[in-house]
Amino acid sequence: MKIANKTVTAERLVRDALEKAKHFSDYHIFTFLNEENAIKKAREIDRKIAAGEKVGRLAGVPYALKDNFLSPEGETTASAHILEGFVSPVTATAVKKLEDEGAIMIGRTNLDAFAHGSSTENSYFGPTHNAFDFDRVAGGSSGGSAVAVALDIVEFATGTDTGGSIRQPASFNGVYGLKPTYGCISRYGVVAMASSTDCVGFFAQTPDDMDVLMSIASGQDSKDMTTLPDYYGSAEPESTNKRRIGIIKDFDNESVDPEIQKALAQKVELLRSRGHEIVDLSMPSLKYALAAYYIIVPAEVASNLSRYDGVRYGFRSKESTTLNELYDNTRSEGFMSENKRRIMIGNFVLSSGFYDAYFLKAAKARTLIIGEYEKAFSKVDFILTPVSPNPAFKLGEKVNDPIAMYLEDMMSVSLNLAGVPGLAIPAGKNKTGLPIGLQLVGPRRSDKNLIQFSKELEEND
Ligand code: GLN
């Protein structure tokens, strides 16, 4: 808007964003800055505006791209050594849609390699620092994108959420983060982690910005057979009057930090005072979500990562004399230990002797979880829960303890297994000034109403 009204040029906005990105270089947010192209594109938009030509809804708006989205601008590494040097010949559908509306990518953001993690410490390039406390993690896997928005370098950033990778870093850095309904936004051109739970989504500073981004990026794509026919753009916002909000009573609330529990209780009171009905829900199957997730996701990871063999993409080990050695050496040197752990677990749970005991059981648990969400949404319009059991933890605190790291995801993964949307919303700060996030969960295809309703959780001060 500011640009179309000629109060500022696109070039100025892009230069400011690049300047800020450099100013915060210690935070290790970006893996690549797109200086030359971004300025060129901004000038083109300024020229169009000066000539009275039509420009898109995001004309000249700088944004940050999680480095697991393919585009020919810069290397797409997914913060993994094995993809270093890989410049994509194709552009992800989501990127294309944003750029068609005039958005300008100023840089690619850091993540846990292949999006495996909850802290961005699994990045080959080193961790990103939290926007509120330099000694703490940014969250993950989309840590770079969350911090880029939290430090106001850009107004929005892309993310992917397979089990919490948008919502958890959003909550650790006090911004909005949306994991849409599975299939709402095309996954074409996004480095695959677990194809049945991967979702493309965004970090933004306000619900209204999120709405604009969703109306641009959502919709069916012939290049991704799992995309749903467009429902977002055509949805009529429902009135936010008198909704029924579910609170999950039998979840493992003990393990949730008391200050997060307090923030939840305060929002519940706020909703009640605004005339909404609070309904206690029992969802006993959710306690199996984490275990099911850490079987199903590694199984899909193991297949999706089998394509990185040193022949087709990025890095190739130099030490090999035979083809098998080339595969072995490239994969041994190119993957991070968390990637390897998931490949091992994934192949184990799919192997003939263990398939029934692990993968099949997890798939059955997933069906129960899907059913439980369906039942819940026959009683309530939305569910409100914490995003994670604690605020941002210290760098180094959990990185050598995979189970502790996995437990971070206990409240986020069930949404991905069920395919339902979740919006992380800022819900104040704890005593030490760290942001607290809550997530609003809705039934499939309720994304627009979810975003709309999240405004009811804003305090008027
Ligand atoms: N933290 C979760 C994991 O490590 C989620 C990752 C994601 O959503 N990409 O699997």
Side-chain angles (χ1 to χ4, degrees):
M1 280 307 275
K2 278 191 260 171
I3 300 173
N5 295 341
K6 297 192 189 150
T7 54
V8 65
T9 63
E11 183 171 350
R12 185 70 267 146
L13 278 188
V14 164
R15 282 190 188 276
D16 283 353
L18 286 164
E19 224 26 68
K20 277 192 218 158
K22 286 183 200 160
H23 175 77
F24 288 116
S25 61
D26 288 358
Y27 283 77
H28 209 201
I29 298 162
F30 292 94
T31 54
F32 162 74
L33 282 184
N34 194 24
E35 289 198 78
E36 221 176 289
N37 279 341
I39 291 170
K40 209 158 84 194
K41 285 182 175 172
R43 285 189 179 145
E44 175 58 14
I45 284 176
D46 288 332
R47 187 202 61 74
K48 279 189 178 167
I49 291 172
E53 292 173 32
K54 199 172 170 291
V55 290
R57 280 183 282 173
L58 298 176
V61 178
Y63 77 99
L65 186 67
K66 186 178 181 183
D67 193 21
N68 58 352
F69 285 75
L70 304 187
S71 95
E73 290 179 277
E75 291 174 14
T76 304
T77 68
S79 293
H81 183 34
I82 206 163
L83 271 173
E84 257 192 303
F86 172 65
V87 177
S88 169
V90 302
T91 302
T93 299
V95 173
K96 184 163 182 328
K97 286 185 162 187
L98 295 170
E99 305 240 337
D100 284 351
E101 291 288 345
I104 298 177
M105 188 264 276
I106 62 135
R108 292 175 164 277
T109 59
N110 198 20
L111 62 146
D112 289 294
F114 287 109
H116 303 172
S118 310
S119 67
T120 316
E121 289 166 294
N122 293 333
S123 164
Y124 178 66
F125 307 114
T128 299
H129 296 258
N130 186 280
F132 288 77
D133 182 341
F134 198 77
D135 296 330
R136 290 182 185 263
V137 299
S141 66
S142 319
S145 284
V147 178
V149 175
L151 291 177
D152 207 17
I153 297 171
V154 285
E155 275 174 57
F156 78 92
T158 69
T160 55
D161 192 311
T162 301
S165 277
I166 292 177
R167 288 161 287 149
Q168 187 251 26
S171 76
F172 280 14
N173 293 283
V175 296
Y176 286 84
L178 177 70
K179 175 210 117 50
T181 301
Y182 180 77
C184 179
I185 300 180
S186 171
R187 289 178 294 116
Y188 174 75
V190 179
V191 177
M193 178 176 167
S195 310
S196 80
T197 68
D198 285 349
C199 286
V200 168
F202 296 103
F203 295 88
Q205 290 167 350
T206 65
D208 286 336
D209 284 357
M210 195 65 91
D211 180 45
V212 173
L213 296 167
M214 285 298 291
S215 61
I216 291 169
S218 58
Q220 199 157 25
D221 179 11
S222 58
K223 292 176 177 149
D224 174 358
M225 301 293 277
T226 62
T227 43
L228 299 165
D230 183 33
Y231 62 86
Y232 191 92
S234 51
E236 281 296 320
E238 285 170 23
S239 123
T240 47
N241 279 342
K242 299 268 173 347
R243 310 311 295 263
R244 290 161 306 165
I245 314 301
I247 304 295
I248 307 171
K249 276 295 157 200
D250 50 4
F251 206 61
D252 180 12
N253 293 320
E254 314 267 275
S255 45
V256 178
D257 179 293
E259 288 189 84
I260 297 185
Q261 292 188 38
K262 204 170 126 206
L264 178 64
Q266 278 170 355
K267 291 294 179 193
V268 164
E269 273 326 300
L270 180 70
L271 289 174
R272 230 193 279 269
S273 72
R274 291 184 174 165
H276 304 291
E277 188 190 338
I278 306 298
V279 180
D280 285 350
L281 290 175
S282 168
M283 297 183 74
S285 303
L286 290 196
K287 61 174 168 292
Y288 305 120
L290 194 69
Y293 174 89
Y294 275 101
I295 291 173
I296 292 168
V297 165
E300 296 186 27
V301 161
S303 345
N304 275 326
L305 295 189
S306 62
R307 72 189 66 157
Y308 303 106
D309 54 9
V311 177
R312 285 170 288 188
Y313 309 92
F315 164 76
R316 173 182 299 172
S317 168
K318 293 197 178 52
E319 306 303 323
S320 330
T321 47
T322 65
L323 187 60
N324 275 343
E325 254 177 54
L326 174 86
Y327 295 154
D328 277 1
N329 293 341
T330 301
R331 289 170 68 84
S332 306
E333 293 165 38
F335 285 126
M336 305 291 286
S337 48
E338 183 59 31
N339 306 140
K340 292 178 193 167
R341 188 175 294 119
R342 295 192 191 208
I343 294 171
M344 299 286 285
I345 295 173
N347 285 316
F348 174 78
V349 298
L350 289 174
S351 60
S352 60
F354 298 100
Y355 176 87
D356 286 356
Y358 292 100
F359 190 82
L360 198 60
K361 263 217 177 109
K364 286 180 180 167
R366 182 181 198 170
T367 305
L368 284 179
I369 291 163
I370 294 171
E372 214 150 80
Y373 271 110
E374 272 165 15
K375 206 168 110 201
F377 288 123
S378 68
K379 296 190 196 126
V380 299
D381 299 297
F382 304 111
I383 299 173
L384 188 64
T385 81
V387 176
S388 66
N390 44 259
F393 46 93
K394 286 253 160 74
L395 282 158
E397 193 181 319
K398 301 190 184 197
V399 71
N400 296 317
D401 184 349
I403 301 288
M405 196 65 96
Y406 296 170
L407 282 169
E408 273 301 297
D409 306 329
M410 61 191 259
M411 318 191 100
S412 55
V413 296
S414 67
L415 281 71
N416 300 73
L417 293 175
V420 297
L423 176 66
I425 52 168
K429 302 215 176 77
N430 74 2
K431 282 196 214 85
T432 58
L434 293 174
I436 291 176
L438 298 176
Q439 66 184 334
L440 199 56
V441 188
R444 261 175 259 176
R445 301 177 199 238
S446 69
D447 314 52
K448 195 169 185 102
N449 289 322
L450 199 62
I451 294 171
Q452 212 49 41
F453 187 76
S454 73
K455 295 180 188 171
E456 287 291 289
L457 288 150
E458 287 173 0
E459 322 271 341
N460 299 327
D461 53 21

